């Protein structure tokens, strides 16, 4: 078993360390994954970063009269909340919680803007 915390100068360990490829700096790693920073993700790429995509979708489409509390709690900390709301408003989404707002709240918002 390897003990990586020891400072022994074990020859097998030393030779592996010398032949191992260098670990890239964090800034170089991000360059390898452009979608991690939002670049080159396309117009709908925000959906992949949405927290709702990682949770139960039923919470975002409650039965009539059902609670929207759980879905809205997820939306509060979502980094793409504004993109989600913009999408719902632009596409006249009539069902579900989008950008932290219910359909009724989105209708009120649209009336105030127009």
């Amino acid at each position: 078993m390897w003990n990586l915390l020891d400072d022994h100068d074990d020859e097998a360990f030393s030779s592996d360390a010398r032949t191992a490829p260098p670990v890239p700096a964090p800034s170089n790693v991000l360059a390898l994954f452009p979608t991690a920073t939002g670049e080159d993700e396309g117009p709908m790429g925000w959906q992949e970063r949405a927290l709702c995509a990682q949770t139960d979708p039923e919470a975002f489409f409650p039965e009539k009269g059902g609670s929207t509390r759980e879905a809205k709690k997820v939306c509060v900390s979502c980094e793409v909340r504004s993109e989600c709301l913009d999408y719902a408003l632009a596409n006249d989404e009539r069902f579900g919680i989008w950008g932290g707002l219910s359909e009724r709240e989105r209708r009120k918002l649209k009336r105030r803007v127009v």
Side-chain angles (χ1 to χ4, degrees):
M1 190 81 184
W2 290 83
N3 186 353
L4 299 177
L5 300 177
D6 255 2
D7 284 71
H8 295 193
D9 214 7
D10 187 36
E11 190 168 318
F13 179 72
S14 298
S15 64
D16 286 346
R18 279 183 258 139
T19 59
V23 177
S27 61
N28 295 339
V29 172
L30 291 178
L32 297 174
F33 303 100
T35 56
T37 59
E39 299 169 14
D40 300 330
E41 66 181 14
M44 299 299 287
W46 60 268
Q47 289 182 341
E48 292 178 19
R49 295 179 290 136
L51 291 179
C52 61
Q54 303 164 27
T55 59
D56 181 16
E58 288 185 27
F60 294 88
F61 296 93
E63 295 290 324
K64 187 171 184 152
S67 176
T68 60
R69 185 176 301 143
E70 289 302 313
K72 288 181 177 185
K73 279 194 331 190
V74 172
C75 292
V76 166
S77 57
C78 186
E79 70 178 66
V80 295
R81 183 177 177 186
S82 62
E83 289 94 332
C84 180
L85 181 57
D86 289 344
Y87 173 84
L89 294 171
N91 293 285
D92 201 27
E93 286 290 341
R94 297 188 184 249
F95 301 100
I97 307 301
W98 292 82
L101 300 180
S102 67
E103 196 273 332
R104 182 182 306 162
E105 293 165 328
R106 292 191 304 273
R107 267 197 324 252
K108 286 181 185 178
L109 180 65
K110 269 187 151 179
R111 275 185 256 152
R112 279 189 265 163
V113 172
V114 175

